[in-house]
Amino acid sequence: AFFFQYYTLLLACIGLLILDSLAYLVLEMTPLLLGPYAVANALNTTLSSVEGLDAEQEASWRDKLRIDHQLLQTSTYAPVAVVLTFAVVFSHVFHLVKDHNVNGLAWFPSQRQDWVLQVILLPAMYAVMALRCVIRSWEVMVGSAWESFASDHASHSESTWLAYVNQSWQLYDANFAVANFAEMYTLWCFSRLCLDLLKRTFTSSEGFMIFSCVTMQGVDGFVLCGLLKVLFHILFSFRELNATGAGIPQAADPLGAIGLSLDLTFADNFLKLLLVLCSIQCLYNVMMICWMSELQDINPSLKFTGTRALIMFAQWQSFGLDFAGAHLDQFPYGEQQVRLWHASLMCYECLLVSLLHVISWPAEDFENGFLPLEDDEGSWKEPSRWVRFGQATSRRLLGDRRPAAESFDDESP
């Protein structure tokens, strides 16, 4: 039964992606393993094969894509951090499910246990996506996939080179968009876990619904904004991947069929800024829940520290590095190097978060009853008006006129 659970399949997919990345590093990224001079020579060979680039343009690209010794060392050891992250997460998940069979079904988690698993799995999911982003950066800055891309397009022209660079960055953004949405879903699961533990402290379902609506505004807004950004990146990345011979677009017209237009650069910057603002409100709302005295036995602030750190690293670190690379003359890295820095640092930060989860989600909390994994009777929220209408209609059709059971106890605990 263990091999057919969703978390097992997810870990298997993560493991396969890690193995594929390591194989690609060894077979296709040999210059990275030989030092900065080999990387510089590989980039020079790539740029010299691009038809139409003059000496000044080659020098400009060489400066933009330069990988210095510090950046090379940081990015080269990032796969090691990802492998360690996967090992820590796998061990944590295995022992959590194996040692706490709360519903009598081997390896099958309860709803609360499932929410906990989502939090613990997040560092591994984010780390493997960050590693894929590191590879996308290497493909541009080393030119490892340039020859195959140029052969597919039957051209080594400058426009083909720009399309190659654009494709790699589109995949980079799409990978991080998926990782960020996994992070947002994990935050949603943590919030639902806390609300589920608080549910029985309310004397009425109305009071609980008011409380949940107020405290979940930031979380729901953050998840919704993240979903829009993920769909945006995937949609336009897919469109760019199917375009041939195009350069880096400054604007596109995906809605031209109905007479509308959309500036991709403006939309991306707007969603990025909106996501940063929503993350601030989201963190504030979750901290409101964590500070409640009814949850202090499980130390929710410590349990939320890992997820909060990933949100800050993913949103604020990226925003800060982009700002420094674009506006600070003292900062020695440009846009392309900043992307590699961010992806590499995320690999190490995911390892730290996975270790923090081992400390903040100890087995003692489950064994001593501070965080019961058994599901309470009833749903975590009252059924909506339409659900109640459907239930009433079904009872009438079946000849049962009894009122629906309440989702909450009438008495406070």
Side-chain angles (χ1 to χ4, degrees):
F2 172 75
F3 298 101
F4 297 99
Q5 301 300 325
Y6 80 91
Y7 54 85
T8 307
L9 299 177
L10 179 59
L11 287 171
C13 292
I14 294 174
L16 291 176
L17 284 175
I18 293 175
L19 292 177
D20 178 72
S21 301
L22 295 177
Y24 187 77
L25 171 62
V26 174
L27 299 177
E28 303 293 339
M29 300 288 185
T30 306
L32 290 168
L33 305 177
L34 300 179
Y37 294 106
V39 173
N41 291 334
L43 179 59
N44 290 334
T45 301
T46 298
L47 294 176
S48 63
S49 67
V50 179
E51 301 172 357
L53 290 182
D54 55 30
E56 183 178 353
Q57 289 174 319
E58 284 191 24
S60 177
W61 276 109
R62 193 177 297 111
D63 182 66
K64 292 178 181 178
L65 303 179
R66 175 182 54 88
I67 302 180
D68 60 17
H69 180 74
Q70 186 176 4
L71 181 55
L72 178 63
Q73 292 294 320
T74 304
S75 62
T76 302
Y77 288 107
V80 178
V82 174
V83 172
L84 294 177
T85 301
F86 177 78
V88 173
V89 170
F90 182 89
S91 175
H92 199 178
V93 169
F94 180 82
H95 288 290
L96 174 63
V97 181
K98 178 178 180 294
D99 299 338
H100 303 90
N101 183 12
V102 297
N103 55 13
L105 300 176
W107 305 107
F108 191 82
S110 64
Q111 179 62 77
R112 288 181 179 176
Q113 204 169 12
D114 177 74
W115 285 328
V116 174
L117 286 174
Q118 296 296 331
V119 177
I120 295 174
L121 284 167
L122 175 62
M125 293 187 289
Y126 208 105
V128 71
M129 289 292 103
L131 180 58
R132 303 301 291 186
C133 292
V134 170
I135 291 178
R136 301 308 175 191
S137 300
W138 284 341
E139 286 181 346
V140 174
M141 305 175 79
V142 180
S144 58
W146 161 243
E147 285 299 329
S148 61
F149 184 88
S151 298
D152 293 339
H153 292 75
S155 172
H156 285 71
S157 65
E158 181 181 0
S159 62
T160 306
W161 165 253
L162 293 177
Y164 168 75
V165 174
N166 182 53
Q167 173 182 281
S168 298
W169 292 139
Q170 290 288 343
L171 292 173
Y172 177 101
D173 291 335
N175 288 335
F176 260 136
V178 173
N180 288 334
F181 186 71
E183 172 188 75
M184 297 163 196
Y185 176 69
T186 300
L187 180 59
W188 186 89
C189 290
F190 179 81
S191 302
R192 293 306 184 223
L193 173 64
C194 292
L195 286 176
D196 191 72
L197 294 174
L198 288 169
K199 180 178 60 178
R200 297 301 178 177
T201 65
F202 288 82
T203 58
S204 66
S205 60
E206 291 78 9
F208 175 76
M209 289 302 298
I210 294 174
F211 172 79
S212 62
C213 289
V214 171
T215 56
M216 291 301 294
Q217 286 182 355
V219 177
D220 293 338
F222 186 54
V223 174
L224 178 60
C225 181
L227 178 59
L228 291 176
K229 188 170 176 57
V230 170
L231 294 177
F232 174 84
H233 276 301
I234 292 178
L235 174 64
F236 289 102
S237 296
F238 179 79
R239 188 182 63 82
E240 292 298 328
L241 290 177
N242 284 276
T244 58
I248 299 178
Q250 299 300 321
D253 192 18
L255 305 178
I258 56 176
L260 299 176
S261 62
L262 178 63
D263 188 335
L264 297 184
T265 303
F266 173 79
D268 181 64
N269 292 333
F270 175 77
L271 285 175
K272 184 180 295 185
L273 178 61
L274 183 62
L275 198 61
V276 172
L277 296 178
C278 288
S279 68
I280 297 174
Q281 183 186 8
C282 175
L283 293 175
Y284 172 73
N285 287 155
V286 176
M287 290 307 299
M288 287 176 56
I289 300 176
C290 293
W291 290 336
M292 297 193 67
S293 59
E294 292 84 356
L295 296 177
Q296 295 311 303
D297 289 339
I298 65 172
N299 199 353
S301 296
L302 178 61
K303 288 177 168 54
F304 182 59
T305 300
T307 305
R308 178 172 60 239
L310 273 185
I311 294 175
M312 296 172 62
F313 291 143
Q315 307 301 329
W316 300 355
Q317 176 179 273
S318 176
F319 186 82
L321 288 174
D322 288 341
F323 179 84
H327 299 92
L328 299 182
D329 296 334
Q330 300 82 358
F331 194 69
Y333 300 102
E335 179 184 0
Q336 283 76 15
Q337 291 113 336
V338 160
R339 287 172 175 260
L340 181 55
W341 267 117
H342 176 59
S344 302
L345 291 175
M346 288 304 305
C347 294
Y348 297 99
E349 290 156 359
C350 288
L351 175 59
L352 296 178
V353 171
S354 67
L355 295 174
L356 179 60
H357 280 170
V358 175
I359 300 173
S360 59
W361 296 87
E364 290 77 10
D365 283 355
F366 313 121
E367 295 169 354
N368 296 333
F370 298 130
L371 201 166
L373 295 176
E374 298 83 1
D375 292 328
D376 291 337
E377 294 182 0
S379 175
W380 67 270
K381 67 176 183 179
E382 186 180 27
S384 66
R385 180 183 303 175
W386 293 106
V387 172
R388 292 197 302 270
F389 175 77
Q391 292 173 344
T393 303
S394 299
R395 289 194 302 273
R396 292 190 183 97
L397 293 176
L398 296 175
D400 185 359
R401 299 303 180 92
R402 292 175 299 174
E406 294 293 332
S407 297
F408 291 80
D409 293 337
D410 294 333
E411 299 179 357
S412 60

